[in-house]
Amino acid sequence: MAILLGLLCACGTGLQSSPPDAGETPKEETLPSITLEEVAVTNHENGALTVRVRGEDFSEGSLIVMTRRTLVTQVVSSTELRATIPPVFLEEREGLYLEALTTSVQYPHGARSPRLGFNIPAPELTSVEPASVPMGSPDPTTVFLYGKNFVRNSMVTFRGVMYPFHVVSPTSGVVNLPPMLTLGDEEFEPIRVGVPAPISADTNSGWLRVSVPFP
C-alpha cells in the first residue's frame, strides 16, 4: 500500500488530465489574386468559351473553378492557366466567378485565390466586306462579317429585317441579303449580328452602303 501511494504522489495529477491538444486541422492558404487575360468563344457550334487566367504560384494539377464547378484546366506555366467553359456552366448567368486552386510543396494543405467576377463576353463586329454593295441586283447579295464570339443560329439585322447568319467560325460568317436592294436614306446603314445563348446579345453596328452600280 505504501508503495502504491508513493507512485500516485510521484505522478501527481497527470493520470487524470486529458491528452495534449493535437492542434487544429491545417487550413487552406490564399493564393495571390488572379486576373482574366482573355475570354472568347472557341466553338461556334455549341458556344463553349475558353478563358486564360493570370496569377502566381500555379503548379501541376492547379485548377480553375467557375462558381463551384471545376473546369478542365491546362497549366501553361506558374503564372498562366487556361480552361474551357461548357455552355451548360453559363446557364446561371448571374453571380458568376472564377477561382484558382492549387496544391504543391509551397502549399501542402492547398491554396485558393480570391474570387474574380466573371461576365459572359459580348459578341463584336469588326468589319463588313464588301463595305458597299450594288442596288438592284437580281440575285441575293453576299456579305461577309468578321468579329468575335459568333455562335450558330445567329441572325443579321439590316434595315429592320432579320436574315440567317451562316457562321463559319467564332470570328466570321456570311449573310445573303435579298435581291433588288434599293438606295437607303443614308449613305452608310447599320448592320449587326444578334447572337443567341449562351451570350444572348447583339453586336455593335457595322456599316454597309447600297450604291448605284456603274453603267
Side-chain angles (χ1 to χ4, degrees), residues 57-214:
D57 301 337
F58 300 145
S59 61
E60 196 65 34
S62 293
L63 296 169
I64 297 175
V65 173
M66 179 177 182
T67 320
R68 303 176 301 280
R69 295 181 177 185
T70 301
L71 305 178
V72 176
T73 304
Q74 175 191 3
V75 180
V76 179
S77 68
S78 62
T79 60
E80 181 180 343
L81 302 176
R82 296 183 185 180
T84 298
I85 303 176
V88 68
F89 282 27
L90 304 172
E91 291 177 352
E92 294 182 24
R93 302 189 67 83
E94 300 294 334
L96 299 176
Y97 61 85
L98 299 176
E99 297 174 293
L101 306 181
T102 194
T103 301
S104 62
V105 174
Q106 183 177 355
Y107 301 107
H109 305 297
R112 180 187 306 263
S113 71
R115 292 179 178 180
L116 175 67
F118 178 82
N119 295 314
I120 298 174
E124 297 179 20
L125 181 58
T126 56
S127 63
V128 179
E129 296 182 6
S132 178
V133 297
M135 65 169 284
S137 171
D139 301 312
T141 301
T142 299
V143 178
F144 297 86
L145 304 179
Y146 299 94
K148 62 186 300 185
N149 301 328
F150 297 155
V151 298
R152 68 173 183 168
N153 298 326
S154 295
M155 302 293 289
V156 168
T157 301
F158 181 65
R159 294 182 171 177
V161 180
M162 299 178 70
Y163 303 95
F165 184 44
H166 306 285
V167 179
V168 178
S169 73
T171 59
S172 65
V174 179
V175 61
N176 291 313
L177 300 179
M180 306 306 294
L181 290 172
T182 59
L183 289 177
D185 295 333
E186 302 291 338
E187 182 177 8
F188 286 93
E189 301 177 80
I191 185 170
R192 63 175 59 88
V193 180
V195 177
I199 293 175
S200 301
D202 291 340
T203 65
N204 53 299
S205 294
W207 301 97
L208 181 65
R209 177 187 183 192
V210 179
S211 60
V212 177
F214 289 109

Side-chain angles (χ1 to χ4, degrees), residues 14-35:
L15 292 177
Q16 300 176 357
S17 62
S18 59
D21 188 0
E24 297 181 1
T25 302
K27 293 182 178 180
E28 185 179 68
E29 298 184 63
T30 301
L31 277 175
S33 297
I34 58 174
T35 58

